[in-house]
Amino acid sequence: MGLVHDLSQAVVIMTIGMTVTFVFLAVLILAIQISSRVIARYAPDTVSQKDKTGSLAQVNINGAVLAAITIAVKKYRDDNKNKNLKAV
Protein backbone atom coordinates (compact mmCIF):
# COMPACT_ATOMS: atom_id res chain seq x y z
CA MET A 1 0.00 0.00 0.00
CA GLY A 2 2.95 2.33 0.50
CA LEU A 3 3.94 2.35 -3.18
CA VAL A 4 0.41 3.08 -4.41
CA HIS A 5 0.05 5.88 -1.87
CA ASP A 6 3.39 7.39 -2.87
CA LEU A 7 2.53 7.21 -6.57
CA SER A 8 -0.86 8.84 -6.02
CA GLN A 9 0.78 11.64 -4.07
CA ALA A 10 3.32 12.08 -6.87
CA VAL A 11 0.53 12.34 -9.44
CA VAL A 12 -1.32 14.92 -7.32
CA ILE A 13 1.83 17.01 -6.81
CA MET A 14 2.67 16.78 -10.52
CA THR A 15 -0.84 17.86 -11.49
CA ILE A 16 -0.77 20.80 -9.10
CA GLY A 17 2.65 21.87 -10.37
CA MET A 18 1.64 21.65 -14.02
CA THR A 19 -1.58 23.57 -13.34
CA VAL A 20 0.23 26.34 -11.48
CA THR A 21 2.81 26.59 -14.27
CA PHE A 22 0.11 26.72 -16.95
CA VAL A 23 -1.82 29.42 -15.12
CA PHE A 24 1.35 31.45 -14.53
CA LEU A 25 2.34 31.28 -18.21
CA ALA A 26 -1.20 32.17 -19.33
CA VAL A 27 -1.21 35.23 -17.04
CA LEU A 28 2.27 36.20 -18.25
CA ILE A 29 1.22 36.00 -21.91
CA LEU A 30 -1.89 38.04 -21.18
CA ALA A 31 0.14 40.70 -19.33
CA ILE A 32 2.63 40.94 -22.20
CA GLN A 33 -0.15 41.34 -24.77
CA ILE A 34 -1.87 44.03 -22.71
CA SER A 35 1.36 45.95 -22.14
CA SER A 36 2.20 45.67 -25.83
CA ARG A 37 -1.13 47.20 -26.79
CA VAL A 38 -0.77 49.99 -24.22
CA ILE A 39 2.77 50.79 -25.37
CA ALA A 40 1.74 50.71 -29.04
CA ARG A 41 -1.09 53.13 -28.34
CA TYR A 42 0.80 55.71 -26.29
CA ALA A 43 4.39 55.43 -27.54
CA PRO A 44 5.44 57.63 -30.45
CA ASP A 45 5.90 55.95 -33.79
CA THR A 46 9.66 56.00 -34.35
CA VAL A 47 9.55 54.50 -37.85
CA SER A 48 7.69 57.44 -39.38
CA GLN A 49 10.09 59.92 -37.76
CA LYS A 50 13.18 58.22 -39.22
CA ASP A 51 15.17 60.23 -41.72
CA LYS A 52 14.71 58.86 -45.21
CA THR A 53 18.43 59.19 -46.02
CA GLY A 54 19.48 57.18 -42.95
CA SER A 55 19.17 53.86 -44.72
CA LEU A 56 22.40 52.10 -45.67
CA ALA A 57 20.96 51.12 -49.02
CA GLN A 58 20.71 54.76 -50.06
CA VAL A 59 24.25 55.81 -49.12
CA ASN A 60 26.52 56.38 -52.10
CA ILE A 61 29.87 54.63 -51.65
CA ASN A 62 32.90 55.69 -53.64
CA GLY A 63 34.14 53.03 -56.08
CA ALA A 64 37.64 53.04 -54.60
CA VAL A 65 36.27 52.50 -51.10
CA LEU A 66 34.06 49.66 -52.32
CA ALA A 67 37.05 48.01 -54.03
CA ALA A 68 39.16 48.32 -50.87
CA ILE A 69 36.41 46.75 -48.77
CA THR A 70 36.00 43.91 -51.26
CA ILE A 71 39.73 43.17 -51.29
CA ALA A 72 39.90 43.25 -47.48
CA VAL A 73 37.00 40.84 -47.11
CA LYS A 74 38.49 38.46 -49.69
CA LYS A 75 41.88 38.52 -47.95
CA TYR A 76 40.25 37.92 -44.57
CA ARG A 77 38.30 34.94 -45.89
CA ASP A 78 41.35 33.48 -47.61
CA ASP A 79 43.47 33.84 -44.46
CA ASN A 80 40.82 32.20 -42.28
CA LYS A 81 40.31 29.39 -44.79
CA ASN A 82 44.02 28.61 -44.68
CA LYS A 83 44.06 28.66 -40.86
CA ASN A 84 41.12 26.27 -40.70
CA LEU A 85 42.77 23.88 -43.16
CA LYS A 86 46.02 23.88 -41.16
CA ALA A 87 44.17 23.15 -37.92
CA VAL A 88 42.62 20.00 -39.39
Side-chain angles (χ1 to χ4, degrees):
M1 177 135 175
L3 181 62
V4 173
H5 179 66
D6 289 344
L7 286 176
S8 66
Q9 278 186 332
V11 168
V12 169
I13 291 172
M14 179 187 68
T15 305
I16 291 171
M18 290 175 69
T19 304
V20 168
T21 302
F22 179 78
V23 169
F24 173 77
L25 291 175
V27 169
L28 182 65
I29 290 170
L30 184 65
I32 289 172
Q33 287 179 347
I34 290 172
S35 65
S36 172
R37 289 181 183 157
V38 168
I39 290 171
R41 178 176 294 169
Y42 294 111
D45 189 17
T46 58
V47 175
S48 64
Q49 295 175 356
K50 184 177 180 183
D51 187 14
K52 302 256 187 224
T53 61
S55 176
L56 288 177
Q58 296 177 354
V59 175
N60 292 332
I61 298 177
N62 188 1
V65 174
L66 184 61
I69 292 172
T70 305
I71 292 170
V73 169
K74 183 176 182 335
K75 182 171 178 3
Y76 175 79
R77 287 183 180 168
D78 289 343
D79 289 347
N80 283 338
K81 185 197 282 186
N82 292 335
K83 287 179 185 178
N84 291 336
L85 291 176
K86 289 177 185 176
V88 176

